[in-house]
Amino acid sequence: MSRIIAFSVVIMAIFVSGCSQQLQRQTCVKLTPEVNYCLAPMLQAPTNNEQLLSQKISFTHGEKHHELLTQLELNSTQMTLVGLAPIGQALFTVTFDGDEVISQQNVLMGEDFKAEYLMAIMQLIYWPHEQINPYFNQGEMHDIDCTKQRCSALIVNDQQAITIDYSNTNPWLAEVILHFPAANITLSISPLL
């Protein structure tokens, strides 16, 4: 099964490269006016084994709503995220090797698509807090009380800047909802089994 998934990632990457541009991206992102987050090194990835996760992502920004399908692949040396439109059109392939972020993206994505933000969000959702907290210039991720199976938040100046709700205590098995009020963004992630 993992060979089929890996083969499909290669095929998607080939399709993306036909009408795409390659961009080197920043490894640090500004999450709020006072908070920067730099991607955590891959040597501290959450697992020593290869991790594959196929997902459906629903993204709401203000009145705009978008959906895409993604595959997140992690190993000890690289983080790769591949995105497809719901109709199967290749949108992007983003890799982070611990030093740099390379985005291979469809020209239809435009210059405004910042792949490094998506990689940062994935780390906030799936990495253990103790591995990512040193990479904030201010604030920390903490588990918080809630009515879901698990919730966490980026706490900045005693305020919740970003909250993440999980339907399962294991984030890799959970449906996830990320709320980012300052940017008027809600991100819903459902694993595809």
Side-chain angles (χ1 to χ4, degrees), residues 3-20:
R3 287 183 184 185
I4 293 170
I5 293 172
F7 178 72
S8 65
V9 169
V10 170
I11 294 299
M12 286 186 277
I14 289 169
F15 283 124
V16 169
S17 64
C19 55
S20 68

Side-chain angles (χ1 to χ4, degrees), residues 13-188:
I14 289 169
F15 283 124
V16 169
S17 64
C19 55
S20 68
Q21 55 189 341
Q22 180 170 312
L23 303 168
Q24 185 168 354
R25 298 297 194 170
Q26 302 297 313
T27 57
C28 296
V29 298
K30 184 175 280 296
L31 294 175
T32 70
E34 63 275 347
V35 178
N36 288 319
Y37 173 71
C38 295
L39 295 173
M42 292 309 301
L43 295 176
Q44 297 179 4
T47 177
N48 291 329
N49 300 321
E50 186 173 283
Q51 182 83 28
L52 292 172
L53 181 62
S54 297
Q55 307 161 301
K56 176 184 171 190
I57 297 180
S58 298
F59 174 84
T60 304
H61 180 250
E63 299 297 315
K64 296 179 182 177
H65 180 79
H66 304 282
E67 288 188 352
L68 66 144
L69 304 174
T70 63
Q71 181 165 310
L72 177 63
E73 181 179 347
L74 298 171
N75 60 43
S76 61
T77 61
Q78 188 166 284
M79 176 181 184
T80 302
L81 186 65
V82 176
L84 296 172
I87 59 171
Q89 180 182 20
L91 298 175
F92 61 84
T93 299
V94 185
T95 59
F96 173 58
D97 65 3
D99 293 316
E100 61 184 3
V101 176
I102 302 293
S103 174
Q104 198 64 15
Q105 63 192 52
N106 188 308
V107 293
L108 298 175
M109 295 295 290
E111 294 291 323
D112 291 336
F113 175 70
K114 304 292 185 201
E116 61 269 35
Y117 278 92
L118 198 48
M119 297 298 258
I121 293 297
M122 291 298 165
Q123 286 194 354
L124 295 185
I125 292 170
Y126 296 108
W127 261 234
H129 300 327
E130 63 273 8
Q131 290 186 3
I132 60 174
N133 280 340
Y135 299 94
F136 289 104
N137 72 319
Q138 183 176 322
E140 288 188 336
M141 292 294 295
H142 291 279
D143 283 335
I144 58 172
D145 291 331
C146 68
T147 59
K148 308 290 184 200
Q149 288 292 313
R150 177 183 173 209
C151 296
S152 62
L154 172 60
I155 307 295
V156 182
N157 298 326
D158 297 323
Q159 300 290 315
Q160 296 177 7
I162 295 174
T163 59
I164 305 170
D165 303 335
Y166 301 88
S167 67
N168 190 305
T169 55
N170 180 343
W172 297 99
L173 303 176
E175 292 193 12
V176 177
I177 300 176
L178 179 138
H179 302 279
F180 193 170
N184 198 15
I185 291 173
T186 301
L187 191 72
S188 300

